[in-house]
Amino acid sequence: MTDAATLFGLCAAVLVGLGLYGFIVNPQPLRKIIAFNVIGNGVFVLFGAVAHRGGALGWGGDPVPQALLITGLVVAFCASALAVTLLLRLAEEAESVTLAPDVPAPAEPATDARDA
Amino acid sequence: MSLVDLFTVAAVSAGAFFFLAGSVGLLRFPDALTRLHALTKADNLGLGLVVLGLLPRVDGVLGGLKLVAIWLLALLASAAVSQLIARVARRTGPRA
Amino acid sequence: MAEFLLAAALFVLAMVALGFVRIMRGPGDADRMMGAQLIGAGGIAVLLLVSAATGTGPIVDVALTLALLAAFASVGFFKSAADAPTDDAETADRP
Amino acid sequence: MIETLNAGLALLILALAVWTIVARDTFAAVVGFVAYGMLLTLVWVQLHGVDVALIEGAIGGGLTGAMLVRAAARLRRTEAAARAEHPAVLTRMAAVLVAGSASAALAVAVLTLPDPAPTLAPETATNLAATGMGNPLTGVLLAFRAMDTLLEAIVVLFALIGVWSLAPDRVWGGRPGPRHHADPDGILAYLARVLPPIGLVVGVYIFWIGADLPGGKFQGASIIAAMWLLAVMAGLSDAPPVSRTWLRLALIGGPVVFIAIGTAGISAAGAFLAYPDGLAKPLIKAIEWALMPSLALTLALLLAGVPERPAR
């Protein structure tokens, strides 16, 4: 039992390192997001390994860290979704910047209806 | 070894063989469409035979239904996905 | 019996690991998606085998979730390829 | 045998992780990441976290994969320029050093974890009966650590507000994402007609059994969100304009019920988010039922993206 925790714990340690390396070295923002996710997965798996070691009373793991993992995974997904959306919007805007580097992007028409 | 065990061993082994066939085909076949053909064998037959082999071991009707549902879902997914991938592959054509 | 099922799971895992080689080699995006698809199908089979070997029923629900969403990434792939008809090697190399 | 299986799994995961980091082509890296997400599900199963495996399967294997694949395809035209940027050798060396030491430090920590492991399992077991839940994770999520779950539901909502606020003025409050079209007799439309009803049943089933067995609202909500997105991608359904009142009410409904029940706890049980004796189970059920549709909608709209079309 403890073997799985140690094995995947070590695997998680390597994942964090790999992600960190990719996060620093890869120039593309999307690759940085993916690398950051790899770091996150490493942290989560490490946490899961610790939870697994705390298993008692017929439960395979300590339920408190496992429950926090569920919250963590959902929040990590939301952060990634926000980051990816931000990046896609940036690519939309930056495209016009690349095509005409000297001309500022046209301002949005001020007459647009805004609803709250 | 009981008859049920024998059945499981036979069906799961056959399923594993189709995963072998699918993987080798995916690696060795020359172009996207033939590789797709190999992939669907692993999806359909490999998973299907594994499910078949495990069916006598489940407890309760619900467990069995879930196993069959997994196989049917995999069939549906693989049928749809292989068509979609094939369309992309045909349009983009072979490229190195 | 449990040993046999786990051995079968290991074998299936080793086989779908070859799908990774297809992801690496490509050459087309479609080929890479196929590699991921194979790993997904193999993952479902491994889950079912582990569930039967360890007698953990709820693992089947995990397999059910994966089976349900197996097509999802590929549908996204198809849509993005369909949305951008010229999206390919040609445009990737455009200055 | 199980040790060999685990070792093989760990190796394959690491190989895929290396690939997602070093692959030249971003799309190739993303596909590797999708496969890696599916295999992580197996890791959670081997670590005896079936609840976590369910959420990883739904989010890591499904939603994240589709999101990244589409992003990689849309960003492909920026690839060539980005490839020209090469970090200096010095940066690479420094990165190796930083990453290596982080890994080494964590590995040392893993190998020197205290034995016996500290655990809250006995405390959870003693107090679980008071919540009326059979699944300890649901008990932890909605009773012992209910504050985390409440804040999470709000963070998810904030992320959605963040996404919406990226909309340009002319489509402010409009419909998210492009309008998808697909051949109505084609295979994609067929898949999107057959799969969502099944997915809805499975999603509700996973949610329902979450009281006593692995499962719960997050897992169920992710599955349902994926099914709705499938219908949208096949052109069978369309995302509603984000300025619709019913939509906003549905989004905040879950957190509002959660906060209301939590606030009622101040007078009824003496603390925020405390449940009166004997009422814990029905109150937890009420929160879960209110939270699940809100979560499903929020996750789906997060993936649907920025409003791109006017509301009309």
Side-chain angles (χ1 to χ4, degrees):
Chain A
M1 282 299 122
T2 330
D3 280 344
T6 313
L7 174 74
F8 288 119
L10 291 174
C11 177
V14 180
L15 283 182
V16 171
L18 278 172
L20 209 52
Y21 174 78
F23 189 70
I24 300 171
V25 165
N26 281 332
Q28 299 103 310
L30 186 62
R31 300 296 291 273
K32 283 194 196 289
I33 295 176
I34 295 176
F36 199 79
N37 266 292
V38 173
I39 302 179
N41 290 140
V43 173
F44 288 145
V45 171
L46 186 55
F47 201 51
V50 172
H52 181 49
R53 294 180 83 245
L57 310 163
W59 291 333
D62 185 349
V64 176
Q66 284 190 347
L68 297 187
L69 273 170
I70 292 182
T71 3
L73 278 165
V74 177
V75 169
F77 165 74
C78 292
S80 304
L82 181 58
V84 166
T85 318
L86 198 58
L87 180 58
L88 288 174
R89 278 289 291 141
L90 179 68
E92 253 174 60
E93 299 294 329
E95 187 184 34
S96 60
V97 172
T98 332
L99 287 174
D102 298 324
V103 183
E108 298 290 346
T111 50
D112 260 355
R114 283 166 179 262
D115 34 11
Chain B
M1 194 185 268
S2 72
L3 210 58
V4 171
D5 282 0
L6 211 62
F7 176 76
T8 304
V9 169
V12 169
S13 305
F17 168 75
F18 276 104
F19 271 105
L20 168 74
S23 304
V24 170
L26 190 67
L27 276 191
R28 302 283 305 162
F29 282 166
D31 62 67
L33 295 184
T34 47
R35 282 179 207 134
L36 202 51
H37 160 77
L39 167 67
T40 47
K41 299 306 154 286
D43 276 20
N44 299 344
L45 284 166
L47 191 57
L49 286 165
V50 168
V51 164
L52 188 68
L54 296 179
L55 264 185
R57 316 192 69 84
V58 297
D59 32 31
V61 182
L62 182 65
L65 276 178
K66 269 197 271 190
L67 279 191
V68 174
I70 289 171
W71 181 52
L72 289 177
L73 284 171
L75 271 184
L76 178 69
S78 110
V81 162
S82 49
Q83 278 221 28
L84 298 178
I85 292 184
R87 268 178 224 179
V88 178
R90 193 182 56 180
R91 201 170 24 172
T92 54
R95 51 192 179 86
Chain C
M1 198 61 206
E3 284 297 295
F4 167 75
L5 292 175
L6 287 177
L10 183 62
F11 180 78
V12 170
L13 189 72
M15 285 306 110
V16 298
L18 296 177
F20 174 44
V21 177
R22 189 40 81 198
I23 295 182
M24 284 196 290
R25 279 215 227 137
D29 292 348
D31 302 285
R32 300 190 204 275
M33 276 319 291
M34 283 184 227
Q37 201 70 30
L38 181 71
I39 291 183
I44 296 171
V46 171
L47 281 172
L48 293 179
L49 289 166
V50 169
S51 165
T54 59
T56 322
I59 297 179
V60 175
D61 291 337
V62 182
L64 190 61
T65 308
L66 276 189
L68 202 57
L69 298 176
F72 203 66
S74 295
V75 170
F77 163 66
F78 172 75
K79 284 309 291 183
S80 50
D83 288 347
T86 52
D87 148 55
D88 218 333
E90 297 96 70
T91 43
D93 298 335
R94 197 174 57 188
Chain D
M1 188 55 75
I2 196 114
E3 287 83 9
T4 326
L5 184 68
N6 286 344
L9 184 59
L11 275 180
L12 189 53
I13 293 240
L14 287 178
L16 279 163
V18 169
W19 172 252
T20 63
I21 300 299
V22 302
R24 263 176 64 81
D25 182 39
T26 297
F27 187 86
V30 164
V31 176
F33 189 76
V34 171
Y36 156 94
M38 290 182 201
L39 288 175
L40 270 184
T41 312
L42 300 185
V43 172
W44 293 119
V45 165
Q46 297 301 58
L47 287 174
H48 292 232
V50 179
D51 293 86
V52 189
L54 275 168
I55 194 81
E56 182 77 53
I59 283 188
L63 298 180
T64 312
M67 173 178 81
L68 291 176
V69 164
R70 302 190 61 192
R74 281 171 83 166
L75 292 172
R76 180 156 271 173
R77 58 192 162 67
T78 65
E79 272 274 280
R83 263 192 209 145
E85 283 179 54
H86 282 301
V89 180
L90 203 64
T91 317
R92 277 179 193 276
M93 305 248 294
V96 169
L97 200 67
V98 169
S101 22
S103 279
L106 284 175
V108 170
V110 167
L111 292 174
T112 54
L113 282 173
D115 208 30
T119 175
L120 289 166
E123 282 86 344
T124 313
T126 325
N127 296 304
L128 191 63
T131 67
M133 293 289 136
N135 179 358
L137 270 81
T138 309
V140 172
L141 279 173
L142 282 158
F144 313 141
R145 306 283 310 190
M147 183 63 106
D148 291 343
T149 313
L150 173 62
L151 291 178
E152 180 205 4
I154 293 171
V155 164
V156 173
L157 214 49
F158 277 3
L160 183 62
I161 295 171
V163 166
W164 284 355
S165 60
L166 298 173
D169 277 355
R170 79 198 129 74
V171 290
W172 192 261
R175 292 178 189 271
R179 176 79 173 114
H180 291 281
H181 297 283
D183 178 8
D185 299 321
I187 187 74
L188 181 56
Y190 174 74
L191 183 71
R193 281 195 189 97
V194 175
L195 209 52
I198 305 172
L200 196 61
V201 172
V202 173
V204 173
Y205 163 76
I206 299 266
F207 166 57
W208 183 267
I209 60 165
D212 294 315
L213 290 168
K217 62 205 159 309
F218 295 120
Q219 293 89 337
S222 318
I223 294 175
I224 292 172
M227 291 301 126
W228 179 72
L229 283 164
L230 184 63
V232 169
M233 284 197 281
L236 296 180
S237 176
D238 196 7
V242 301
S243 52
R244 289 280 145 83
T245 314
W246 67 263
L247 183 79
R248 304 217 167 170
L249 287 178
L251 284 172
I252 61 164
V256 164
V257 169
F258 205 157
I259 293 172
I261 291 179
T263 315
I266 298 176
S267 57
F272 183 59
L273 286 172
Y275 307 119
D277 283 340
L279 279 177
K281 187 166 185 178
L283 287 177
I284 288 176
K285 282 276 148 204
I287 293 173
E288 290 220 291
W289 278 100
L291 213 48
M292 146 95 156
S294 293
L295 274 171
L297 196 60
T298 317
L299 291 174
L301 286 169
L302 257 180
L303 267 166
V306 177
E308 287 178 15
R309 292 165 290 150
R312 294 173 307 281

